[in-house]
Amino acid sequence: MADDNVVKMSPFKVGRLITAIVVILVVVLVGTQSFTIISAGHSGVVLQLGAVQPKVLQEGLHFKIPFVQTVIPMEVRVQKSETSQTSASRDLQTVSTTIAVNHHLDAENVNKLYQQVGLEYASRIVDPAIAEALKAVTAQYTAEELISKRSEVSNKVKDALKQKLSTYNIILDEINIREFTFSDEFNRAIESKQVAEQQALKSKLDLERIKIEKEQEITKAQAQAEALRLQKQEVTPELIQLRQIEAQLEAIRKWDGKLPNVTGGATPFIQVEK
Protein backbone atom coordinates (compact mmCIF):
# COMPACT_ATOMS: atom_id res chain seq x y z
CA MET A 1 0.00 0.00 0.00
CA ALA A 2 1.47 3.35 -1.11
CA ASP A 3 2.45 5.87 1.50
CA ASP A 4 -0.14 8.64 1.63
CA ASN A 5 2.59 11.23 2.42
CA VAL A 6 4.43 10.68 -0.90
CA VAL A 7 3.35 13.19 -3.48
CA LYS A 8 3.14 11.69 -6.88
CA MET A 9 4.21 13.85 -9.87
CA SER A 10 2.84 13.33 -13.28
CA PRO A 11 5.25 12.65 -16.16
CA PHE A 12 4.29 16.04 -17.60
CA LYS A 13 5.46 17.89 -14.50
CA VAL A 14 8.70 15.89 -14.40
CA GLY A 15 9.40 16.81 -18.01
CA ARG A 16 8.77 20.47 -17.37
CA LEU A 17 11.15 20.40 -14.36
CA ILE A 18 13.93 18.78 -16.37
CA THR A 19 13.44 21.28 -19.18
CA ALA A 20 13.64 24.18 -16.76
CA ILE A 21 16.87 22.81 -15.26
CA VAL A 22 18.39 22.36 -18.72
CA VAL A 23 17.36 25.88 -19.76
CA ILE A 24 18.92 27.33 -16.60
CA LEU A 25 22.13 25.42 -17.21
CA VAL A 26 22.25 26.58 -20.83
CA VAL A 27 21.66 30.20 -19.83
CA VAL A 28 24.42 30.02 -17.23
CA LEU A 29 26.77 28.37 -19.69
CA VAL A 30 25.98 30.88 -22.44
CA GLY A 31 26.40 33.71 -19.96
CA THR A 32 29.82 32.53 -18.87
CA GLN A 33 30.86 31.99 -22.49
CA SER A 34 29.69 35.45 -23.54
CA PHE A 35 32.36 37.37 -21.62
CA THR A 36 36.14 37.22 -21.29
CA ILE A 37 38.59 39.06 -19.09
CA ILE A 38 42.00 40.16 -20.38
CA SER A 39 44.48 40.34 -17.52
CA ALA A 40 46.95 43.21 -16.98
CA GLY A 41 50.00 43.03 -19.23
CA HIS A 42 48.19 40.97 -21.89
CA SER A 43 46.33 41.44 -25.16
CA GLY A 44 43.66 39.10 -26.51
CA VAL A 45 43.69 37.53 -29.98
CA VAL A 46 40.13 36.79 -31.12
CA LEU A 47 39.51 33.60 -33.09
CA GLN A 48 36.15 33.20 -34.80
CA LEU A 49 35.61 29.62 -35.86
CA GLY A 50 39.40 29.34 -36.00
CA ALA A 51 40.01 32.48 -38.08
CA VAL A 52 42.08 35.32 -36.59
CA GLN A 53 40.05 38.51 -36.31
CA PRO A 54 41.46 42.03 -36.95
CA LYS A 55 40.27 43.34 -33.57
CA VAL A 56 42.64 42.89 -30.62
CA LEU A 57 41.23 42.97 -27.09
CA GLN A 58 43.07 45.00 -24.47
CA GLU A 59 42.94 44.72 -20.68
CA GLY A 60 39.50 44.45 -19.10
CA LEU A 61 36.10 42.76 -19.59
CA HIS A 62 34.91 42.05 -23.15
CA PHE A 63 31.89 40.43 -24.82
CA LYS A 64 32.33 37.56 -27.26
CA ILE A 65 30.04 35.32 -29.25
CA PRO A 66 29.58 32.09 -27.27
CA PHE A 67 30.88 28.89 -28.87
CA VAL A 68 31.87 30.88 -31.97
CA GLN A 69 34.65 33.12 -30.74
CA THR A 70 37.71 32.13 -28.68
CA VAL A 71 40.17 34.56 -27.10
CA ILE A 72 43.90 33.73 -26.83
CA PRO A 73 45.72 35.92 -24.26
CA MET A 74 49.29 36.96 -25.16
CA GLU A 75 51.69 38.66 -22.75
CA VAL A 76 52.87 42.11 -23.89
CA ARG A 77 55.10 42.90 -20.91
CA VAL A 78 58.88 43.08 -21.28
CA GLN A 79 60.38 39.63 -21.60
CA LYS A 80 64.01 38.55 -21.35
CA SER A 81 65.86 36.13 -23.60
CA GLU A 82 69.41 35.15 -22.68
CA THR A 83 71.52 32.94 -24.88
CA SER A 84 75.11 31.95 -25.61
CA GLN A 85 76.27 31.96 -29.22
CA THR A 86 79.44 30.88 -30.98
CA SER A 87 80.59 32.83 -34.02
CA ALA A 88 83.74 33.77 -35.94
CA SER A 89 85.53 37.11 -36.01
CA ARG A 90 86.94 38.74 -39.14
CA ASP A 91 90.36 37.22 -38.41
CA LEU A 92 88.69 33.80 -38.08
CA GLN A 93 88.94 33.54 -34.30
CA THR A 94 86.23 31.55 -32.53
CA VAL A 95 84.15 33.85 -30.32
CA SER A 96 81.69 32.71 -27.66
CA THR A 97 79.23 35.42 -26.68
CA THR A 98 76.66 35.62 -23.90
CA ILE A 99 73.91 38.12 -24.68
CA ALA A 100 70.73 39.16 -22.87
CA VAL A 101 67.86 40.70 -24.86
CA ASN A 102 64.80 42.52 -23.50
CA HIS A 103 61.80 42.74 -25.82
CA HIS A 104 58.01 42.95 -25.81
CA LEU A 105 55.15 42.34 -28.21
CA ASP A 106 53.35 45.16 -30.01
CA ALA A 107 50.07 45.19 -28.06
CA GLU A 108 48.05 46.38 -31.06
CA ASN A 109 49.34 43.72 -33.46
CA VAL A 110 49.61 40.51 -31.47
CA ASN A 111 46.99 39.01 -33.77
CA LYS A 112 49.39 39.26 -36.72
CA LEU A 113 52.18 37.62 -34.74
CA TYR A 114 49.84 34.82 -33.66
CA GLN A 115 48.65 34.32 -37.22
CA GLN A 116 52.17 34.25 -38.68
CA VAL A 117 54.11 32.46 -35.94
CA GLY A 118 51.91 31.31 -33.08
CA LEU A 119 52.73 31.22 -29.39
CA GLU A 120 56.22 29.74 -29.88
CA TYR A 121 57.63 33.02 -31.22
CA ALA A 122 60.54 33.03 -28.74
CA SER A 123 62.11 29.84 -30.09
CA ARG A 124 61.01 30.41 -33.69
CA ILE A 125 61.82 34.11 -34.11
CA VAL A 126 63.66 35.74 -31.20
CA ASP A 127 66.45 33.24 -30.56
CA PRO A 128 67.34 32.69 -34.26
CA ALA A 129 67.28 36.46 -34.86
CA ILE A 130 69.71 37.03 -31.97
CA ALA A 131 72.10 34.41 -33.32
CA GLU A 132 71.93 35.77 -36.88
CA ALA A 133 72.46 39.41 -35.86
CA LEU A 134 75.34 38.54 -33.56
CA LYS A 135 77.17 36.43 -36.15
CA ALA A 136 76.69 39.05 -38.87
CA VAL A 137 78.19 41.82 -36.71
CA THR A 138 81.09 39.89 -35.12
CA ALA A 139 82.24 38.87 -38.60
CA GLN A 140 82.94 42.57 -39.32
CA TYR A 141 85.54 42.92 -36.51
CA THR A 142 88.76 41.26 -35.49
CA ALA A 143 88.89 39.53 -32.13
CA GLU A 144 90.81 42.42 -30.56
CA GLU A 145 88.35 44.97 -31.98
CA LEU A 146 85.44 43.09 -30.43
CA ILE A 147 86.97 43.93 -27.06
CA SER A 148 88.23 47.46 -27.74
CA LYS A 149 85.08 48.50 -29.67
CA ARG A 150 82.53 46.69 -27.54
CA SER A 151 80.10 49.61 -27.38
CA GLU A 152 80.13 50.00 -31.16
CA VAL A 153 79.60 46.25 -31.64
CA SER A 154 76.69 46.31 -29.19
CA ASN A 155 75.00 49.16 -31.05
CA LYS A 156 75.32 47.39 -34.40
CA VAL A 157 73.90 44.16 -32.98
CA LYS A 158 71.01 46.13 -31.50
CA ASP A 159 70.21 47.84 -34.81
CA ALA A 160 70.34 44.58 -36.77
CA LEU A 161 68.21 42.71 -34.22
CA LYS A 162 65.68 45.55 -33.98
CA GLN A 163 65.09 45.41 -37.72
CA LYS A 164 64.64 41.64 -37.73
CA LEU A 165 62.19 41.55 -34.81
CA SER A 166 60.09 44.47 -36.03
CA THR A 167 59.09 42.39 -39.05
CA TYR A 168 57.07 40.21 -36.68
CA ASN A 169 55.73 43.08 -34.52
CA ILE A 170 58.20 42.36 -31.72
CA ILE A 171 59.71 45.50 -30.21
CA LEU A 172 63.33 45.42 -29.03
CA ASP A 173 63.95 47.27 -25.76
CA GLU A 174 67.63 46.70 -24.94
CA ILE A 175 70.49 44.26 -25.31
CA ASN A 176 73.43 43.53 -23.05
CA ILE A 177 76.50 41.70 -24.31
CA ARG A 178 77.79 40.17 -21.09
CA GLU A 179 81.13 38.87 -22.36
CA PHE A 180 83.26 37.76 -25.29
CA THR A 181 85.21 34.55 -24.72
CA PHE A 182 88.05 33.39 -26.97
CA SER A 183 90.16 30.24 -27.29
CA ASP A 184 93.08 29.57 -24.92
CA GLU A 185 95.55 29.91 -27.80
CA PHE A 186 94.23 33.36 -28.64
CA ASN A 187 94.32 34.46 -24.99
CA ARG A 188 97.96 33.38 -24.74
CA ALA A 189 98.79 35.22 -27.96
CA ILE A 190 97.15 38.39 -26.64
CA GLU A 191 99.09 38.12 -23.39
CA SER A 192 102.39 37.67 -25.26
CA LYS A 193 101.60 40.64 -27.48
CA GLN A 194 100.82 42.83 -24.48
CA VAL A 195 104.13 41.88 -22.84
CA ALA A 196 106.01 42.64 -26.08
CA GLU A 197 104.24 46.00 -26.42
CA GLN A 198 105.12 46.91 -22.85
CA GLN A 199 108.77 46.03 -23.41
CA ALA A 200 108.83 47.99 -26.67
CA LEU A 201 107.28 50.98 -24.92
CA LYS A 202 109.87 50.79 -22.13
CA SER A 203 112.70 50.65 -24.67
CA LYS A 204 111.25 53.61 -26.54
CA LEU A 205 110.98 55.64 -23.34
CA ASP A 206 114.58 54.73 -22.42
CA LEU A 207 115.81 55.87 -25.83
CA GLU A 208 113.90 59.13 -25.53
CA ARG A 209 115.35 59.70 -22.04
CA ILE A 210 118.89 59.08 -23.27
CA LYS A 211 118.32 61.37 -26.22
CA ILE A 212 117.06 64.15 -23.96
CA GLU A 213 120.02 63.74 -21.60
CA LYS A 214 122.46 63.94 -24.54
CA GLU A 215 120.74 67.03 -25.84
CA GLN A 216 120.97 68.60 -22.39
CA GLU A 217 124.69 67.83 -22.18
CA ILE A 218 125.29 69.30 -25.64
CA THR A 219 123.33 72.41 -24.75
CA LYS A 220 125.29 72.81 -21.52
CA ALA A 221 128.65 72.38 -23.30
CA GLN A 222 127.65 74.85 -25.97
CA ALA A 223 126.67 77.38 -23.32
CA GLN A 224 129.99 76.96 -21.52
CA ALA A 225 131.96 77.32 -24.76
CA GLU A 226 130.02 80.43 -25.64
CA ALA A 227 130.68 81.90 -22.20
CA LEU A 228 134.42 81.24 -22.53
CA ARG A 229 134.43 82.76 -25.98
CA LEU A 230 132.72 85.89 -24.74
CA GLN A 231 135.10 86.18 -21.78
CA LYS A 232 138.10 85.80 -24.05
CA GLN A 233 136.82 88.57 -26.29
CA GLU A 234 136.41 90.87 -23.29
CA VAL A 235 139.98 90.45 -21.84
CA THR A 236 141.87 93.80 -22.07
CA PRO A 237 144.85 95.33 -20.25
CA GLU A 238 142.47 97.52 -18.31
CA LEU A 239 140.48 94.45 -17.24
CA ILE A 240 143.66 92.72 -16.09
CA GLN A 241 144.71 95.81 -14.07
CA LEU A 242 141.23 96.00 -12.53
CA ARG A 243 141.40 92.36 -11.47
CA GLN A 244 144.81 92.98 -9.83
CA ILE A 245 143.50 96.00 -7.90
CA GLU A 246 140.48 93.95 -6.75
CA ALA A 247 142.83 91.20 -5.57
CA GLN A 248 144.94 93.67 -3.58
CA LEU A 249 141.82 95.19 -1.96
CA GLU A 250 140.66 91.73 -0.98
CA ALA A 251 144.07 91.02 0.59
CA ILE A 252 143.92 94.30 2.56
CA ARG A 253 140.50 93.35 3.95
CA LYS A 254 141.89 90.01 5.13
CA TRP A 255 145.27 91.35 6.56
CA ASP A 256 145.69 91.02 10.33
CA GLY A 257 148.24 93.89 10.70
CA LYS A 258 151.37 91.68 10.87
CA LEU A 259 154.10 91.49 8.26
CA PRO A 260 155.30 88.03 7.26
CA ASN A 261 158.63 86.87 8.69
CA VAL A 262 159.78 85.58 5.35
CA THR A 263 158.79 87.01 2.06
CA GLY A 264 159.41 85.65 -1.31
CA GLY A 265 159.38 88.97 -3.08
CA ALA A 266 158.24 92.54 -2.78
CA THR A 267 155.89 93.40 0.00
CA PRO A 268 152.46 93.47 -1.51
CA PHE A 269 151.55 96.61 0.37
CA ILE A 270 152.98 98.84 3.18
CA GLN A 271 151.34 101.06 5.73
CA VAL A 272 152.34 104.71 5.31
CA GLU A 273 152.00 107.02 8.28
CA LYS A 274 151.73 110.74 7.85
Side-chain angles (χ1 to χ4, degrees), residues 12-138:
F12 176 75
K13 290 183 178 181
V14 172
R16 289 185 61 182
L17 179 60
I18 294 175
T19 301
I21 294 174
V22 171
V23 169
I24 292 173
L25 292 175
V26 170
V27 170
V28 172
L29 182 61
V30 170
T32 56
Q33 291 293 316
S34 299
F35 297 93
T36 185
I37 297 176
I38 305 300
S39 302
H42 291 74
S43 290
V45 178
V46 181
L47 303 180
Q48 185 166 315
L49 299 178
V52 177
Q53 300 301 297
K55 182 180 180 180
V56 175
L57 304 181
Q58 302 304 323
E59 300 174 3
L61 179 67
H62 299 274
F63 174 78
K64 65 173 184 171
I65 303 175
F67 310 109
V68 174
Q69 291 182 333
T70 304
V71 177
I72 306 296
M74 296 185 70
E75 186 175 3
V76 296
R77 288 178 289 208
V78 175
Q79 302 177 55
K80 177 181 177 181
S81 296
E82 184 169 343
T83 180
S84 296
Q85 299 293 334
T86 300
S87 56
S89 61
R90 192 176 66 190
D91 53 350
L92 302 181
Q93 294 292 334
T94 301
V95 184
S96 297
T97 310
T98 301
I99 182 173
V101 177
N102 290 339
H103 60 279
H104 68 276
L105 306 184
D106 184 352
E108 301 293 336
N109 294 291
V110 291
N111 54 339
K112 297 177 182 178
L113 176 62
Y114 182 84
Q115 188 176 39
Q116 296 173 350
V117 182
L119 296 176
E120 301 298 325
Y121 56 86
S123 59
R124 294 181 181 180
I125 300 299
V126 178
D127 292 343
I130 294 173
E132 184 179 353
L134 193 58
K135 290 179 180 180
V137 173
T138 53

Side-chain angles (χ1 to χ4, degrees), residues 135-273:
K135 290 179 180 180
V137 173
T138 53
Q140 302 175 21
Y141 295 86
T142 64
E144 291 186 47
E145 289 174 339
L146 289 175
I147 299 174
S148 61
K149 299 180 179 180
R150 182 168 179 169
S151 177
E152 179 180 323
V153 173
S154 180
N155 289 334
K156 282 193 173 183
V157 172
K158 184 176 180 179
D159 292 340
L161 184 57
K162 182 177 181 180
Q163 184 177 359
K164 292 179 182 297
L165 295 181
S166 64
T167 304
Y168 297 93
N169 298 291
I170 301 175
I171 300 173
L172 178 64
D173 295 300
E174 192 56 74
I175 72 167
N176 181 20
I177 297 178
R178 296 188 181 277
E179 62 177 348
F180 288 115
T181 306
F182 305 95
S183 63
D184 293 338
E185 292 79 6
F186 178 77
N187 290 332
R188 285 194 292 268
I190 289 294
E191 183 177 356
S192 299
K193 181 179 179 180
Q194 290 176 342
V195 171
E197 288 177 348
Q198 291 174 354
Q199 292 176 345
L201 179 60
K202 182 178 182 300
S203 299
K204 182 179 178 181
L205 293 176
D206 289 341
L207 289 174
E208 291 179 352
R209 177 180 55 80
I210 293 173
K211 181 180 178 182
I212 292 173
E213 290 176 352
K214 291 295 183 183
E215 291 176 349
Q216 290 175 344
E217 291 177 0
I218 292 172
T219 302
K220 182 178 180 181
Q222 289 175 343
Q224 291 175 347
E226 181 66 15
L228 290 174
R229 185 184 67 80
L230 293 175
Q231 288 180 2
K232 184 176 180 181
Q233 288 179 352
E234 294 174 357
V235 173
T236 62
E238 291 79 6
L239 181 61
I240 294 174
Q241 185 178 3
L242 178 61
R243 292 289 183 264
Q244 291 175 347
I245 294 172
E246 289 175 349
Q248 289 180 355
L249 291 174
E250 183 65 23
I252 291 172
R253 283 195 296 269
K254 294 182 179 179
W255 182 51
D256 58 2
K258 297 179 181 180
L259 291 175
N261 295 327
V262 180
T263 62
T267 304
F269 60 85
I270 58 175
Q271 183 175 0
V272 180
E273 294 183 358

